[in-house]
Amino acid sequence: MRIKFFVQVFLLGPLVFFAVPALSSFGATPRDNYAFYCVQCHGAEGRGDGPNATESQPVDPRNHRSAYEMKKLTDEEIIDVIRNGGAATSKSTLMPAFRRTLSDKEIEGLKGYLRELCKC
Amino acid sequence: MSKYIRLVLLSVFILTVVFSFLLSSAARAVESAGSKTFISRGCGSCHRTARPAGPVTRSSELAKKGPDLWYAGSKFREGFLASWLVNPTPIRPLAYNSLEEKNPADHPRLDVKTAASVASYLMDLKAADLMSSVEIRPGVNVRGRILFIKKFACYGCHLVNVRGNKAGGLSGPSLEGTVRRLNPQWIYSLLINQGAFTPVSRMPIYEGLAREAEIKALASYVAGLK
């Protein structure tokens, strides 16, 4: 019992202490993450009109304000497409995979944020 | 006779030592002129020339006014900086760290001689994380091209030159003409270990999404872009 406590405090404590701030996105809200990673394609308000949505691109980024479009996706599909990219839902690979960039928790948070944007 | 040869050898040795000393100190003088110019022209107000000691955060990186140069000697190809500093044509389509404004194309210019000395100073700034033992040959790489266009759609954020026309997104640096600009081994090192160079970046991490062989092919393709 006492040994277990010792292990938790003295070994795991510092591990958490050092590992957490190492993530540069530490403390970022879903809104912050959206602004940093998604706005460049999906636009400042999520309407699919970010600076990367140029005329030369073959596919427009999804309009995240469109309940009509976003209702087609289940929560699981939204999480899957953010984790694994457009290919995961048979869409364009222009939608990148973020599983190496964002934690599962952050992706879950973004799913909630997208549901707020589309009100759906 | 043998005494004579020894004397000749000795004097050749001494001359070589003196000569190489003179040469290297001359080179060092040019370098230090470059670093002095860098300071006196205020380049350091927008560019870091040393790796930040502490952890970087999103707010520290978004507050930067220009790209990091502390790994310039690993990133750029020999000769590129000396000519770019004379004629700094935009590399990033958008203003630095902005998703709205266009690149104002107002980077400070240097004359040919000053540019050469600043470039030689910057080319001495090497990064320990450069994977210099990996061979990346720039050029036509069919596999790399397919990965760049189809599997990862890197053009989503980067301009490339398609038969004379610009195509692609604007949030990343343009990849037109990387064949003259970027060191192939640095491109590989960046893709396999972004954290070593740009730990906070709008570019997603590809290490772990792409296999090592795919990253090599991508690097070789990108390194050859005209």
Side-chain angles (χ1 to χ4, degrees), chain A residues 43-64:
Chain A
E45 298 187 342
R47 296 187 196 280
D49 56 357
N52 286 328
T54 57
E55 257 167 45
S56 62
Q57 303 289 31
V59 186
D60 283 335
R62 182 72 63 257
N63 177 354
H64 289 152

Side-chain angles (χ1 to χ4, degrees), chain A residues 6-114:
Chain A
F6 177 85
V7 167
Q8 278 171 352
V9 172
F10 288 90
L11 294 181
L12 297 180
L15 205 77
V16 170
F17 182 81
F18 285 112
V20 168
L23 290 169
S24 59
S25 57
F26 176 65
T29 63
R31 193 196 177 85
D32 293 339
N33 283 332
Y34 192 86
F36 194 68
Y37 293 110
C38 318
V39 162
Q40 56 188 324
C41 294
H42 290 277
E45 298 187 342
R47 296 187 196 280
D49 56 357
N52 286 328
T54 57
E55 257 167 45
S56 62
Q57 303 289 31
V59 186
D60 283 335
R62 182 72 63 257
N63 177 354
H64 289 152
R65 298 256 176 195
S66 161
Y68 173 77
E69 286 291 339
M70 292 300 289
K71 248 199 257 170
K72 294 179 188 165
L73 298 168
T74 63
D75 285 359
E76 288 70 33
E77 282 170 329
I78 292 183
I79 288 171
D80 197 18
V81 81
I82 303 174
R83 273 183 61 81
N84 301 315
T89 51
S90 311
K91 304 283 164 42
S92 168
T93 53
L94 267 174
M95 167 64 203
F98 282 93
R99 68 171 182 276
R100 301 289 296 158
T101 310
L102 295 164
S103 69
D104 285 352
K105 217 175 140 222
E106 288 175 307
I107 291 173
E108 172 87 30
L110 278 167
K111 185 266 296 169
Y113 186 69
L114 294 185

